[in-house]
Amino acid sequence: MPANDHLANPKERDAHYGSPLSVAQYLVDLHDSAAVFNFCGSLLFQLSLSPKLREHLAAIAKNGGHQPQIFDASMDRLAKIPGYTKNADADNVLVFHGREVRQVPTAVGGQGCVLHLCLANAADPQGWTEQEIGDYNGWAHDSKRPWRRGQQLEQEGFEGFRSKFGDAAYALHHRFYLHFDRSQQMWLAAEDGCEGEPVQLPSQ
């Protein structure tokens, strides 16, 4: 059995992270292992947490606090969770701010795709910019939403976007949440319905 099988196998995950599940530590370990999610049906996306979000989750895992919630299988769309509203709000527990980033040459999985989650409601240099918050409409189809290239994101306040993801990279901001499926696999899902599960790559 691979050493990190607990990242993709629900049974091994539950044995490793305990009951109740330490979701914060699980997310940190997925990031630290450069774990890949099979997203949108066929695209491999590497999970990447901003340093501020990783620090926040690691502190919860170590010291306690509000663990991120994984909703049950009946909550298979963000719009189904209690208290859902069409807005840009996130709380780092039920809902996260993030971006899908394309054309990243260093992305694990070989398809140039990264899921970048950041810390909401705090001074995260990689967090959503004021402009991203202002024009967010993540419930709409991608074709009606504003994709941003690195230069624009840096002008808006994400310093070092191109050095992190590459000169050709571009991004679309989403709200994300976590839910289980009927086999207890965890899915990371965007508000528009695109979602992915962690997978074990043959090379890992």
Side-chain angles (χ1 to χ4, degrees), residues 78 81 83-92 94-97 120-121 128 133 136 139 174-176 191:
L78 182 60
I81 71 170
Y84 170 79
T85 305
K86 287 183 177 180
N87 58 33
D89 295 348
D91 61 3
N92 311 305
L94 306 181
V95 180
F96 291 86
H97 280 167
N121 310 316
W128 278 12
I133 292 171
Y136 181 69
W139 46 89
H174 297 272
R175 292 199 301 175
F176 290 92
E191 185 163 6

mmCIF file of all heavy atoms in Angstrom, residues 78 81 83-92 94-97 120-121 128 133 136 139 174-176 191:
data_model
loop_
_atom_site.group_PDB
_atom_site.id
_atom_site.type_symbol
_atom_site.label_atom_id
_atom_site.label_comp_id
_atom_site.label_asym_id
_atom_site.label_seq_id
_atom_site.Cartn_x
_atom_site.Cartn_y
_atom_site.Cartn_z
ATOM 1 N N LEU A 78 -23.290 23.535 -3.688
ATOM 2 C CA LEU A 78 -23.160 24.561 -2.652
ATOM 3 C C LEU A 78 -24.514 25.198 -2.330
ATOM 4 O O LEU A 78 -24.804 25.522 -1.174
ATOM 5 C CB LEU A 78 -22.160 25.630 -3.099
ATOM 6 C CG LEU A 78 -21.871 26.746 -2.100
ATOM 7 C CD1 LEU A 78 -21.288 26.205 -0.802
ATOM 8 C CD2 LEU A 78 -20.921 27.787 -2.703
ATOM 9 N N ILE A 81 -26.493 23.852 0.783
ATOM 10 C CA ILE A 81 -26.076 23.897 2.179
ATOM 11 C C ILE A 81 -26.939 24.895 2.947
ATOM 12 O O ILE A 81 -27.468 25.848 2.367
ATOM 13 C CB ILE A 81 -24.580 24.245 2.333
ATOM 14 C CG1 ILE A 81 -24.308 25.709 1.983
ATOM 15 C CG2 ILE A 81 -23.710 23.320 1.473
ATOM 16 C CD1 ILE A 81 -22.893 26.162 2.360
ATOM 17 N N GLY A 83 -28.295 27.992 4.796
ATOM 18 C CA GLY A 83 -27.921 29.402 4.789
ATOM 19 C C GLY A 83 -27.292 29.904 3.513
ATOM 20 O O GLY A 83 -26.759 31.019 3.485
ATOM 21 N N TYR A 84 -27.356 29.105 2.438
ATOM 22 C CA TYR A 84 -26.716 29.518 1.188
ATOM 23 C C TYR A 84 -27.291 30.840 0.668
ATOM 24 O O TYR A 84 -28.500 31.057 0.665
ATOM 25 C CB TYR A 84 -26.901 28.443 0.112
ATOM 26 C CG TYR A 84 -26.489 28.905 -1.264
ATOM 27 C CD1 TYR A 84 -25.146 28.937 -1.626
ATOM 28 C CD2 TYR A 84 -27.436 29.344 -2.191
ATOM 29 C CE1 TYR A 84 -24.758 29.373 -2.886
ATOM 30 C CE2 TYR A 84 -27.062 29.779 -3.444
ATOM 31 C CZ TYR A 84 -25.717 29.797 -3.789
ATOM 32 O OH TYR A 84 -25.332 30.238 -5.033
ATOM 33 N N THR A 85 -26.386 31.707 0.219
ATOM 34 C CA THR A 85 -26.768 32.967 -0.407
ATOM 35 C C THR A 85 -25.843 33.228 -1.587
ATOM 36 O O THR A 85 -24.646 32.919 -1.524
ATOM 37 C CB THR A 85 -26.654 34.140 0.587
ATOM 38 O OG1 THR A 85 -27.418 33.846 1.755
ATOM 39 C CG2 THR A 85 -27.183 35.426 -0.022
ATOM 40 N N LYS A 86 -26.370 33.797 -2.640
ATOM 41 C CA LYS A 86 -25.546 34.175 -3.790
ATOM 42 C C LYS A 86 -24.784 35.445 -3.453
ATOM 43 O O LYS A 86 -25.275 36.564 -3.626
ATOM 44 C CB LYS A 86 -26.419 34.388 -5.025
ATOM 45 C CG LYS A 86 -26.972 33.109 -5.624
ATOM 46 C CD LYS A 86 -27.768 33.401 -6.895
ATOM 47 C CE LYS A 86 -28.256 32.123 -7.550
ATOM 48 N NZ LYS A 86 -29.023 32.403 -8.787
ATOM 49 N N ASN A 87 -23.569 35.271 -2.957
ATOM 50 C CA ASN A 87 -22.700 36.406 -2.646
ATOM 51 C C ASN A 87 -21.252 35.944 -2.696
ATOM 52 O O ASN A 87 -20.969 34.828 -3.146
ATOM 53 C CB ASN A 87 -23.063 37.023 -1.284
ATOM 54 C CG ASN A 87 -22.972 36.022 -0.145
ATOM 55 O OD1 ASN A 87 -22.135 35.114 -0.148
ATOM 56 N ND2 ASN A 87 -23.834 36.189 0.848
ATOM 57 N N ALA A 88 -20.335 36.772 -2.257
ATOM 58 C CA ALA A 88 -18.908 36.447 -2.305
ATOM 59 C C ALA A 88 -18.362 36.016 -0.949
ATOM 60 O O ALA A 88 -17.149 35.878 -0.787
ATOM 61 C CB ALA A 88 -18.120 37.647 -2.817
ATOM 62 N N ASP A 89 -19.225 35.767 0.035
ATOM 63 C CA ASP A 89 -18.780 35.491 1.401
ATOM 64 C C ASP A 89 -18.133 34.115 1.535
ATOM 65 O O ASP A 89 -18.533 33.148 0.875
ATOM 66 C CB ASP A 89 -19.949 35.576 2.370
ATOM 67 C CG ASP A 89 -20.537 36.974 2.473
ATOM 68 O OD1 ASP A 89 -19.899 37.914 1.962
ATOM 69 O OD2 ASP A 89 -21.632 37.107 3.055
ATOM 70 N N ALA A 90 -17.146 34.031 2.409
ATOM 71 C CA ALA A 90 -16.517 32.765 2.784
ATOM 72 C C ALA A 90 -16.065 32.889 4.235
ATOM 73 O O ALA A 90 -15.791 33.985 4.721
ATOM 74 C CB ALA A 90 -15.338 32.444 1.878
ATOM 75 N N ASP A 91 -15.997 31.751 4.933
ATOM 76 C CA ASP A 91 -15.653 31.777 6.363
ATOM 77 C C ASP A 91 -14.526 30.827 6.742
ATOM 78 O O ASP A 91 -14.214 30.673 7.920
ATOM 79 C CB ASP A 91 -16.897 31.471 7.204
ATOM 80 C CG ASP A 91 -17.478 30.087 6.922
ATOM 81 O OD1 ASP A 91 -16.885 29.336 6.118
ATOM 82 O OD2 ASP A 91 -18.530 29.770 7.503
ATOM 83 N N ASN A 92 -13.919 30.154 5.770
ATOM 84 C CA ASN A 92 -12.808 29.215 6.005
ATOM 85 C C ASN A 92 -13.241 27.988 6.802
ATOM 86 O O ASN A 92 -12.394 27.229 7.277
ATOM 87 C CB ASN A 92 -11.640 29.903 6.736
ATOM 88 C CG ASN A 92 -11.238 31.211 6.095
ATOM 89 O OD1 ASN A 92 -10.940 31.260 4.910
ATOM 90 N ND2 ASN A 92 -11.247 32.285 6.873
ATOM 91 N N LEU A 94 -17.108 26.614 6.377
ATOM 92 C CA LEU A 94 -18.116 26.047 5.478
ATOM 93 C C LEU A 94 -17.772 26.319 4.017
ATOM 94 O O LEU A 94 -18.019 25.480 3.146
ATOM 95 C CB LEU A 94 -19.497 26.636 5.787
ATOM 96 C CG LEU A 94 -19.995 26.543 7.227
ATOM 97 C CD1 LEU A 94 -21.389 27.153 7.343
ATOM 98 C CD2 LEU A 94 -20.002 25.101 7.702
ATOM 99 N N VAL A 95 -17.241 27.488 3.761
ATOM 100 C CA VAL A 95 -16.973 27.945 2.398
ATOM 101 C C VAL A 95 -15.587 28.583 2.345
ATOM 102 O O VAL A 95 -15.191 29.296 3.276
ATOM 103 C CB VAL A 95 -18.044 28.964 1.936
ATOM 104 C CG1 VAL A 95 -17.761 29.440 0.512
ATOM 105 C CG2 VAL A 95 -19.439 28.351 2.019
ATOM 106 N N PHE A 96 -14.873 28.315 1.260
ATOM 107 C CA PHE A 96 -13.528 28.850 1.049
ATOM 108 C C PHE A 96 -13.488 29.717 -0.204
ATOM 109 O O PHE A 96 -14.218 29.472 -1.174
ATOM 110 C CB PHE A 96 -12.521 27.707 0.872
ATOM 111 C CG PHE A 96 -12.280 26.902 2.113
ATOM 112 C CD1 PHE A 96 -13.105 25.830 2.426
ATOM 113 C CD2 PHE A 96 -11.240 27.211 2.974
ATOM 114 C CE1 PHE A 96 -12.891 25.079 3.567
ATOM 115 C CE2 PHE A 96 -11.012 26.468 4.117
ATOM 116 C CZ PHE A 96 -11.849 25.398 4.413
ATOM 117 N N HIS A 97 -12.606 30.693 -0.184
ATOM 118 C CA HIS A 97 -12.243 31.409 -1.396
ATOM 119 C C HIS A 97 -11.145 30.626 -2.106
ATOM 120 O O HIS A 97 -10.261 30.035 -1.468
ATOM 121 C CB HIS A 97 -11.704 32.806 -1.075
ATOM 122 C CG HIS A 97 -12.764 33.807 -0.786
ATOM 123 N ND1 HIS A 97 -12.490 35.043 -0.223
ATOM 124 C CD2 HIS A 97 -14.109 33.797 -0.989
ATOM 125 C CE1 HIS A 97 -13.612 35.733 -0.104
ATOM 126 N NE2 HIS A 97 -14.608 35.003 -0.538
ATOM 127 N N ALA A 120 -9.886 33.661 3.611
ATOM 128 C CA ALA A 120 -10.864 34.742 3.481
ATOM 129 C C ALA A 120 -10.901 35.579 4.753
ATOM 130 O O ALA A 120 -10.556 35.106 5.840
ATOM 131 C CB ALA A 120 -12.255 34.166 3.200
ATOM 132 N N ASN A 121 -11.304 36.824 4.610
ATOM 133 C CA ASN A 121 -11.543 37.723 5.756
ATOM 134 C C ASN A 121 -10.287 37.987 6.581
ATOM 135 O O ASN A 121 -10.364 38.184 7.791
ATOM 136 C CB ASN A 121 -12.643 37.148 6.656
ATOM 137 C CG ASN A 121 -13.875 36.753 5.868
ATOM 138 O OD1 ASN A 121 -14.323 37.487 4.992
ATOM 139 N ND2 ASN A 121 -14.409 35.575 6.148
ATOM 140 N N TRP A 128 -8.415 36.814 -2.255
ATOM 141 C CA TRP A 128 -9.167 37.501 -3.299
ATOM 142 C C TRP A 128 -8.922 39.003 -3.227
ATOM 143 O O TRP A 128 -8.873 39.588 -2.143
ATOM 144 C CB TRP A 128 -10.657 37.253 -3.113
ATOM 145 C CG TRP A 128 -11.159 35.953 -3.666
ATOM 146 C CD1 TRP A 128 -10.416 34.889 -4.099
ATOM 147 C CD2 TRP A 128 -12.522 35.575 -3.838
ATOM 148 N NE1 TRP A 128 -11.241 33.880 -4.517
ATOM 149 C CE2 TRP A 128 -12.528 34.270 -4.376
ATOM 150 C CE3 TRP A 128 -13.728 36.213 -3.582
ATOM 151 C CZ2 TRP A 128 -13.714 33.590 -4.661
ATOM 152 C CZ3 TRP A 128 -14.911 35.549 -3.860
ATOM 153 C CH2 TRP A 128 -14.899 34.248 -4.406
ATOM 154 N N ILE A 133 -13.728 40.166 -5.354
ATOM 155 C CA ILE A 133 -14.912 40.159 -4.487
ATOM 156 C C ILE A 133 -16.053 40.924 -5.152
ATOM 157 O O ILE A 133 -17.210 40.487 -5.146
ATOM 158 C CB ILE A 133 -14.574 40.768 -3.119
ATOM 159 C CG1 ILE A 133 -13.603 39.852 -2.352
ATOM 160 C CG2 ILE A 133 -15.839 40.992 -2.297
ATOM 161 C CD1 ILE A 133 -13.047 40.458 -1.082
ATOM 162 N N TYR A 136 -17.643 38.946 -8.301
ATOM 163 C CA TYR A 136 -17.874 37.507 -8.188
ATOM 164 C C TYR A 136 -19.310 37.132 -8.534
ATOM 165 O O TYR A 136 -20.266 37.718 -8.021
ATOM 166 C CB TYR A 136 -17.557 37.014 -6.771
ATOM 167 C CG TYR A 136 -17.774 35.525 -6.637
ATOM 168 C CD1 TYR A 136 -16.936 34.636 -7.295
ATOM 169 C CD2 TYR A 136 -18.837 35.012 -5.896
ATOM 170 C CE1 TYR A 136 -17.137 33.265 -7.212
ATOM 171 C CE2 TYR A 136 -19.039 33.646 -5.797
ATOM 172 C CZ TYR A 136 -18.181 32.778 -6.459
ATOM 173 O OH TYR A 136 -18.395 31.423 -6.371
ATOM 174 N N TRP A 139 -21.964 31.435 -9.391
ATOM 175 C CA TRP A 139 -23.092 30.576 -9.707
ATOM 176 C C TRP A 139 -23.398 30.588 -11.198
ATOM 177 O O TRP A 139 -24.194 29.784 -11.683
ATOM 178 C CB TRP A 139 -24.331 31.043 -8.925
ATOM 179 C CG TRP A 139 -24.505 32.535 -9.001
ATOM 180 C CD1 TRP A 139 -25.189 33.235 -9.941
ATOM 181 C CD2 TRP A 139 -23.937 33.508 -8.115
ATOM 182 N NE1 TRP A 139 -25.095 34.584 -9.698
ATOM 183 C CE2 TRP A 139 -24.334 34.789 -8.576
ATOM 184 C CE3 TRP A 139 -23.140 33.433 -6.961
ATOM 185 C CZ2 TRP A 139 -23.954 35.972 -7.939
ATOM 186 C CZ3 TRP A 139 -22.755 34.608 -6.333
ATOM 187 C CH2 TRP A 139 -23.165 35.852 -6.818
ATOM 188 N N HIS A 174 -13.413 31.169 -7.596
ATOM 189 C CA HIS A 174 -14.595 30.406 -7.210
ATOM 190 C C HIS A 174 -14.723 30.407 -5.688
ATOM 191 O O HIS A 174 -13.724 30.512 -4.972
ATOM 192 C CB HIS A 174 -14.473 28.929 -7.614
ATOM 193 C CG HIS A 174 -14.365 28.644 -9.063
ATOM 194 N ND1 HIS A 174 -15.457 28.454 -9.879
ATOM 195 C CD2 HIS A 174 -13.273 28.467 -9.862
ATOM 196 C CE1 HIS A 174 -15.051 28.171 -11.110
ATOM 197 N NE2 HIS A 174 -13.733 28.181 -11.116
ATOM 198 N N ARG A 175 -15.934 30.190 -5.210
ATOM 199 C CA ARG A 175 -16.125 29.740 -3.837
ATOM 200 C C ARG A 175 -16.143 28.208 -3.863
ATOM 201 O O ARG A 175 -16.741 27.596 -4.756
ATOM 202 C CB ARG A 175 -17.434 30.272 -3.243
ATOM 203 C CG ARG A 175 -17.447 31.763 -3.033
ATOM 204 C CD ARG A 175 -18.528 32.198 -2.050
ATOM 205 N NE ARG A 175 -19.876 31.825 -2.479
ATOM 206 C CZ ARG A 175 -20.960 32.011 -1.732
ATOM 207 N NH1 ARG A 175 -20.850 32.534 -0.512
ATOM 208 N NH2 ARG A 175 -22.156 31.681 -2.184
ATOM 209 N N PHE A 176 -15.494 27.615 -2.870
ATOM 210 C CA PHE A 176 -15.402 26.159 -2.779
ATOM 211 C C PHE A 176 -15.964 25.671 -1.450
ATOM 212 O O PHE A 176 -15.985 26.409 -0.454
ATOM 213 C CB PHE A 176 -13.935 25.705 -2.872
ATOM 214 C CG PHE A 176 -13.306 25.878 -4.229
ATOM 215 C CD1 PHE A 176 -12.620 27.049 -4.543
ATOM 216 C CD2 PHE A 176 -13.369 24.877 -5.177
ATOM 217 C CE1 PHE A 176 -12.016 27.209 -5.780
ATOM 218 C CE2 PHE A 176 -12.774 25.026 -6.417
ATOM 219 C CZ PHE A 176 -12.100 26.198 -6.717
ATOM 220 N N GLU A 191 -18.673 26.460 -6.631
ATOM 221 C CA GLU A 191 -20.075 26.867 -6.579
ATOM 222 C C GLU A 191 -20.823 26.555 -7.866
ATOM 223 O O GLU A 191 -22.028 26.296 -7.840
ATOM 224 C CB GLU A 191 -20.173 28.366 -6.260
ATOM 225 C CG GLU A 191 -21.575 28.865 -6.057
ATOM 226 C CD GLU A 191 -21.647 30.209 -5.368
ATOM 227 O OE1 GLU A 191 -20.586 30.828 -5.141
ATOM 228 O OE2 GLU A 191 -22.763 30.635 -5.039
#
